[in-house]
Amino acid sequence: MTARTQNQEIESFLHLRPRLFAAAYRMLGSVSDAEDILQEAFLRWQGVDQAQVRDATGYLIRVTTRLCLDQLKSARARRETYPGEWLPEPILTEDPAELLDHDVTVALLLALERLSPLERAAFLLHDIFDGAYDDIAQALERSPAACRQLATRARRKLRQDPPKTPEKTEQGMALAEAFFRASKTGDTEALTRMLSQDVQLISDGGGKAIAALNPIYGLDRVLRLLEGIARKNGRKIPSDWRLCQLNGMPAILNRDAEDVLETAAIEIRQGRIARIYVTRNPDKTAHLSDALATQ
């Protein structure tokens, strides 16, 4: 292989990398796993005879999809024994050039967990990435008709309990900061004004950091939880924190009193906070440490 051919291979892969990562992240709900998938896809891309590849995009989508399907089989087994609530790895969505937009909300990724791996792949490749069923059939090694049925079943399951799209308001980041300050200081009066009556708080510690094992439902219970945490931590606002956007939602990234890197993303409905997603599992937040350091 000449140096020029090798450079062309690398350029082709780098050009498609954002799209491949977007597909792998939506399939797996994990930044680290998606990165591993892309590394393996790149190795396979380097090992293939380029003269036999008529469509680089189709080839790499197929390879990435099949690798994700293999990964999903083991991931689903691990999640059956996952300690506490499982949340997807939070990802920064502040760059408008990225393919990661509103359709990587936590609500959607959690909804996708209800699908089988093949249903998930067919739905994402067709409904999110506008793939043709003939191309999806090659990726899933099924007939186009079977892939159509998989996508149809996926839509039917998602319609049974459709993920709600969070409101995007100009006040979203201000509300996230206000929530952060009030929750850390235990200001229940301020929290009462900004939280909905049916607010839910879901936290993911992965058994490696303190977190609620089950979702917390309702204003009174969420207030009691936040007040107790604030009291335990001396009602102090952490010195190391920043506003950001995670999975298309206003969010806060900070290190707490125990030096745990955590995120809190909020869903807003009718001007109030309806869902709070807190991620404290260090395996899921490690990739965000640079974002906090370079604020």
Side-chain angles (χ1 to χ4, degrees), residues 122-144:
F123 171 79
L124 288 171
L125 291 176
H126 183 267
D127 288 37
I128 302 300
F129 293 101
D130 299 319
Y133 282 118
D134 287 344
D135 296 331
I136 297 171
Q138 293 185 50
L140 302 189
E141 299 180 328
R142 298 290 191 279
S143 69

Side-chain angles (χ1 to χ4, degrees), residues 46-251:
Q46 286 187 307
V48 74
D49 182 357
Q50 298 294 306
Q52 302 300 315
V53 178
R54 291 179 295 178
D55 176 14
T57 300
Y59 174 84
L60 285 169
I61 285 288
R62 288 195 298 274
V63 168
T64 300
T65 299
R66 289 169 186 169
L67 289 170
C68 285
L69 288 172
D70 291 340
Q71 181 71 20
L72 273 175
K73 293 175 184 177
S74 59
R76 290 171 76 88
R78 291 197 306 270
R79 286 170 198 171
E80 290 178 358
T81 58
Y82 192 81
E85 289 296 306
W86 179 91
L87 289 174
E89 286 187 26
I91 188 167
L92 285 168
T93 50
E94 297 175 324
D95 185 352
E98 293 289 341
L99 290 174
L100 302 170
D101 47 27
H102 65 279
D103 54 9
V104 289
T105 58
V106 175
L108 174 63
L109 293 173
L110 289 176
L112 292 175
E113 288 293 301
R114 303 199 301 267
L115 308 179
S116 72
L118 286 172
E119 290 170 346
R120 188 168 184 161
F123 171 79
L124 288 171
L125 291 176
H126 183 267
D127 288 37
I128 302 300
F129 293 101
D130 299 319
Y133 282 118
D134 287 344
D135 296 331
I136 297 171
Q138 293 185 50
L140 302 189
E141 299 180 328
R142 298 290 191 279
S143 69
C147 291
R148 187 184 298 273
Q149 289 181 336
L150 286 167
T152 299
R153 285 205 303 268
R155 292 188 210 102
R156 187 182 302 122
K157 289 181 180 180
L158 293 175
R159 281 197 299 267
Q160 291 173 357
D161 185 16
K164 297 180 180 178
T165 302
E167 294 177 7
K168 291 189 176 182
T169 68
E170 295 180 357
Q171 294 76 32
M173 299 303 282
L175 188 56
E177 181 174 356
F179 167 76
F180 172 71
R181 294 182 180 278
S183 63
K184 295 303 182 184
T185 59
D187 187 344
T188 55
E189 290 187 10
L191 288 169
T192 300
R193 290 193 296 270
M194 66 183 77
L195 300 179
S196 65
Q197 285 292 325
D198 62 349
V199 63
Q200 296 181 21
L201 186 151
I202 302 174
S203 57
D204 178 346
K208 299 183 178 182
I210 296 175
L213 290 177
N214 299 301
I216 309 299
Y217 297 99
L219 178 60
D220 290 342
R221 291 181 177 179
V222 171
L223 286 176
R224 286 199 296 271
L225 174 68
L226 295 176
E227 161 64 19
I229 294 174
R231 183 171 60 252
K232 176 185 175 182
N233 293 329
R235 304 183 186 278
K236 295 179 180 179
I237 296 176
S239 58
D240 198 7
W241 66 276
R242 64 163 286 194
L243 277 168
C244 60
Q245 185 183 95
L246 295 172
N247 296 83
M249 295 179 290

